[in-house]
Amino acid sequence: MPRVTVDVARGKTELVPRWTCDAGDYVVAAEVSRDGRLCVVGAGDGHVLGLDVATGRELFRQRAHEGGVFGVSVSPDGGRFATCGQEPNAKVWSATGALVRELPGGGAQWVEHVAWAPAGGRIATGAGRKVRVWDSEGAPIVETEPLPSTVSNLAWRADGTALATTCYGGVHIWPFVAGAKARRFEWKGSLISLAWSPDAKVIACGSQDSSVHFWRLATGQDSEMNGYPFKPKALAWDSESKLLATSGDATVTVWDFRGKGPEGTRPIQLVSHKAVCTRLAFSPSKGVLASGAQDTSILLWEPRRGTQPVRYAFLEDEVTALSWHPEHGGLLGGDASGRLCFWEVN
């Protein structure tokens, strides 16, 4: 396993752990609730954990799915969360870890994606070629026509009024506003990652052909960023929708959407990881970017101020999950060995 060597600039100070714990298996997904009190973790052995953010105390540990967990999504009020995994149903749980309801995938063997709308009223699931949307109580609202291929990603518009999905062949947008029409943006390739800008103006996707494609929704204009050595599986927008961070190499590449950019501009290159970047997350309230990599390192950057990392930390294996406290009060990270750590940031 490659590691960051001591002679590499790793930032000014090491992050201080508030707590650490063992999830028991590969950390597949982790999310901190919007109120900053609960973090929910999905593991490769099918368990889901609830942890107190302040202390790291384990609140519950449930066998959520027969096989591994694929995704977790916490409701905006923090009162419930949803999971999906190697099982035909997604599941809704209370904040104490009690099963509330199952959401059938519609015949597919596994439900591979789940996303709770930011406005709170809807839950989306992706299974096979179908997308289903449910209300917060688990009652079905709509099921889409089968997509051309398997659903590869889900992302809600920031105000919860539309849902974007990807598959081989492009992006589909399903509106939840009276009179609005569904839209489709075609792309001859398989889209493996998806990030909808917070201002709802741009959808960016990583592609199987090691490029990043994006569409400006007002005009439908599209552009492509290429030259990545590996598939860009991680994408992250800053809170102002001005910077898009992309993976696809040990170097983190940040594109600036201010002015006429990013077309015709040179990206910001953040160099310090010694292996491929696997996770990216911008702080929701600051212009701080967290990146995690196969070399176990986690680095914090301020791309608008400079190209050297400002803080650093390490886990014990490849970084597989990053989630910020909603008020920049800390950062949660998980790795392939099952290690979890919450670091103080302020």
Side-chain angles (χ1 to χ4, degrees):
M1 176 66 64
R3 295 185 64 90
V4 170
T5 53
V6 294
D7 61 334
V8 174
R10 299 183 299 183
K12 296 178 180 177
T13 58
E14 186 167 5
L15 291 165
V16 177
R18 179 185 297 176
W19 51 260
T20 62
C21 73
D22 185 2
D25 204 341
Y26 189 106
V27 176
V28 177
E31 185 172 319
V32 178
S33 63
R34 194 177 291 183
D35 63 9
R37 301 171 66 180
L38 172 70
C39 66
V40 178
V41 178
D45 62 1
H47 282 85
V48 62
L49 289 72
L51 301 165
D52 183 287
V53 173
T55 64
R57 181 171 64 92
E58 186 173 306
L59 304 174
F60 58 83
R61 182 185 292 252
Q62 300 283 9
R63 182 65 182 264
H65 297 284
E66 294 176 1
V69 174
F70 289 151
V72 303
S73 185
V74 183
S75 67
D77 65 3
R80 294 184 179 185
F81 65 92
T83 65
C84 64
Q86 292 177 320
E87 201 169 330
N89 299 335
K91 297 179 181 179
V92 177
W93 308 79
S94 72
T96 59
L99 180 62
V100 175
R101 190 176 300 275
E102 297 194 0
L103 309 178
Q109 185 177 6
W110 298 340
V111 179
E112 297 178 273
H113 308 279
V114 65
W116 209 302
R122 303 181 182 95
I123 309 166
T125 57
R129 296 166 56 198
K130 293 182 179 178
V131 175
R132 290 182 162 189
V133 178
W134 317 77
D135 69 17
S136 58
E137 297 302 317
I141 297 174
V142 67
E143 176 179 308
T144 67
E145 293 293 324
L147 299 181
S149 65
T150 302
V151 177
S152 56
N153 293 281
L154 300 175
W156 284 98
R157 182 176 157 132
D159 61 4
T161 60
L163 175 70
T165 67
T166 58
C167 63
Y168 183 91
V171 181
H172 299 253
I173 299 179
W174 314 96
F176 291 87
V177 177
K181 296 181 179 179
R183 303 177 70 183
R184 180 183 178 185
F185 299 98
E186 294 188 0
W187 171 246
K188 292 182 179 179
S190 183
L191 300 174
I192 58 172
S193 54
L194 166 64
W196 199 335
S197 64
D199 64 4
K201 294 182 178 179
V202 180
I203 283 182
C205 297
S207 177
Q208 188 81 9
D209 65 3
S210 299
S211 68
V212 174
H213 210 80
F214 69 89
W215 288 265
R216 299 183 190 278
L217 301 190
T219 62
Q221 176 193 349
D222 63 322
S223 294
E224 181 181 271
M225 306 149 174
N226 49 36
Y228 294 90
F230 303 97
K231 301 168 187 175
K233 297 180 179 179
L235 307 173
W237 287 98
D238 74 337
S239 61
E240 297 179 346
S241 303
K242 304 302 183 187
L243 299 179
L244 174 67
T246 63
S247 63
D249 195 359
T251 298
V252 178
T253 301
V254 181
W255 297 91
D256 192 338
F257 279 70
R258 290 176 292 187
K260 297 181 179 179
E263 293 90 338
T265 64
R266 295 175 64 87
I268 303 167
Q269 301 276 280
L270 306 178
V271 182
S272 197
H273 290 299
K274 303 302 289 184
V276 173
C277 173
T278 54
R279 290 291 183 273
L280 292 166
F282 266 105
S283 169
S285 59
K286 304 284 185 181
V288 179
L289 173 67
S291 62
Q294 292 177 342
D295 64 7
T296 78
S297 66
I298 293 170
L299 302 174
L300 301 190
W301 314 79
E302 294 181 283
R304 288 193 179 89
R305 296 187 176 183
T307 58
Q308 293 297 312
V310 292
R311 303 192 74 178
Y312 68 93
F314 292 98
L315 286 171
E316 297 178 355
D317 206 330
E318 174 182 332
V319 179
T320 57
L322 289 175
S323 180
W324 282 94
H325 184 281
E327 297 177 354
H328 196 70
L331 176 68
L332 174 68
D335 73 12
S337 74
R339 191 70 169 173
L340 287 163
C341 185
F342 191 91
W343 296 277
E344 303 283 356
V345 174
N346 289 328

